[in-house]
Amino acid sequence: MKECLLLLLLAVCSAKPFFSPLDTTLKNMMLKDMDDDDDDDNANSVFPTREPADPFFPFDMFPTCPFGCQCYSRVVHCSDLGLTSVPRNIPFDTRMLDLQNNKIKEIKENDFKGLTSLYGLILNNNKLTKIHPKAFLTTKKLRRLYLSHNQLSEMPLNLPKSLAELRIHDNKVKKIQKNTFKGMNALHVLEMSANPLDNKGIEPGAFEGVEVFHVRIAEAKLTSIPKDLPSTLLELHLDDNKISNVELEDFKRYKELQRLGLGNNKIVDIENGSLANIPRVREIHLENNKLKKIPSGLQELKYLQIIFLHSNSITKVGLNDFCPTMPKMKKSLYSAISLFNNPVKYWDVQPATFRCVLSRMSVQLGNFRK
């Protein structure tokens, strides 16, 4: 028996370690996830990566992370910690930094120094009143900057030219100065709603040379449609303002517009020919205004699919208010026409009025209640 046990122990000690076929696969997957050539194509990814210094140890054995924060895969989470300033010791290879829901009042000059790989910065819901003009000096790869729900009274100076998305919703910004966005050729989305911004606050030349596709300035103090926004706009949202009229010149600059939001304003009249300047528009919101008739020119908009006109003062719907007389002129059928909560006698509306809609469910008339 002793001899058998001895032979068994010798066999175990001399045996080679077992490697599962999955070990090599997992290792290759981790290395692939960490691989990055830092070229222009990778700059648009949400979480760009970088090739590790040591392929056998793709993760830092002793990573640094600000106290109380959570760090993983070059993403640093420091939200909801009651922070009053930007924490120190943020890893230099950080790509996404989350600082929302804190009590940070000021961004100082060196708060982001050395974060040359930073791609996204979230500062929503803090108490920011000041951002140093040189705060973003080294963040030359920053693409997403979220500053909503703070107390900023002016646009930050020297914003990174690499920005593709800027959200500064619900602050105290009253003015957009000339050259604020100069050189920001990658800026595609600008969210500025819930700021006390009026038409005079948008200085001429503020958007000069910038190709922005999506602009939202809702819940502001605009009394008319701004005429100096980027001509490249695909979406323009001006809901919840004090706009009372739409004039012929208002849309001449925005010929590529596809979505237009003008709901919850005080629009009484839309001048004839105004909508002809946006021939590619697909969706228009005019609900909760003071219109007394269907805007003219809708039947000429070949691609219009959605039109919201509910909660106005419209009393009549004509046979050709929505559809062209020649069917081939309409390239896209309506998927939604809302007319409810208007003093329209719906029994007087002829069925052929909605001959260019997808189905009966696409039209909402409803009863009018005072």
Side-chain angles (χ1 to χ4, degrees), residues 74-216:
R74 299 182 178 87
V75 178
V76 179
H77 293 283
C78 299
S79 61
D80 301 277
L81 296 176
L83 300 174
T84 56
S85 61
V86 176
R88 299 177 179 273
N89 301 322
I90 299 173
F92 287 144
D93 62 348
T94 297
R95 301 298 174 97
M96 189 71 70
L97 178 58
D98 183 1
L99 292 166
Q100 63 183 320
N101 301 327
N102 282 291
K103 299 179 181 179
I104 302 173
K105 295 182 179 180
E106 180 182 356
I107 300 299
K108 299 178 182 178
E109 180 178 355
N110 296 320
D111 280 347
F112 306 124
K113 187 176 182 180
L115 301 182
T116 56
S117 299
L118 194 62
Y119 176 92
L121 176 59
I122 307 174
L123 283 161
N124 293 341
N125 198 26
N126 275 276
K127 296 184 178 181
L128 288 177
T129 59
K130 184 179 180 181
I131 296 179
H132 195 280
K134 296 183 179 180
F136 302 112
L137 191 62
T138 61
T139 58
K140 296 182 179 180
K141 293 184 179 180
L142 191 63
R143 299 275 292 175
R144 308 280 188 264
L145 177 59
Y146 302 148
L147 297 167
S148 298
H149 307 294
N150 279 285
Q151 300 174 22
L152 295 170
S153 58
E154 58 183 17
M155 295 290 294
L157 297 176
N158 302 318
L159 289 166
K161 307 301 182 186
S162 57
L163 277 185
E165 182 177 356
L166 173 62
R167 296 185 181 271
I168 192 167
H169 173 89
D170 190 16
N171 276 270
K172 298 180 179 180
V173 178
K174 294 183 178 181
K175 178 179 287 189
I176 305 178
Q177 297 180 350
K178 185 178 180 179
N179 298 326
T180 296
F181 306 107
K182 186 177 181 179
M184 299 173 65
N185 297 324
L187 185 63
H188 293 161
V189 177
L190 177 62
E191 166 63 83
M192 287 197 62
S193 298
N195 282 282
L197 185 68
D198 58 23
N199 291 81
K200 293 181 180 180
I202 305 176
E203 293 188 357
F207 294 93
E208 186 176 352
V210 183
E211 295 185 358
V212 184
F213 300 137
H214 177 111
V215 170
R216 185 185 293 271

Side-chain angles (χ1 to χ4, degrees), residues 233-292:
L233 279 181
L234 299 179
E235 294 190 26
L236 176 59
H237 300 274
L238 303 173
D239 307 275
D240 294 281
N241 276 282
K242 299 179 180 180
I243 300 172
S244 58
N245 288 281
V246 176
E247 300 176 353
L248 185 62
E249 304 290 326
D250 285 346
F251 297 126
K252 278 195 171 181
R253 183 174 171 85
Y254 315 127
K255 296 185 181 299
E256 301 298 321
L257 202 64
Q258 295 184 15
R259 295 184 68 188
L260 173 62
L262 288 170
N264 295 288
N265 275 279
K266 298 181 179 181
I267 299 175
V268 177
D269 181 59
I270 296 179
E271 190 174 352
N272 292 347
S274 300
L275 298 179
N277 291 316
I278 47 175
R280 299 181 180 274
V281 69
R282 297 176 181 272
E283 183 174 340
I284 299 177
H285 290 256
L286 286 164
E287 68 274 13
N288 290 297
N289 277 284
K290 297 182 178 181
L291 293 171
K292 295 182 179 180

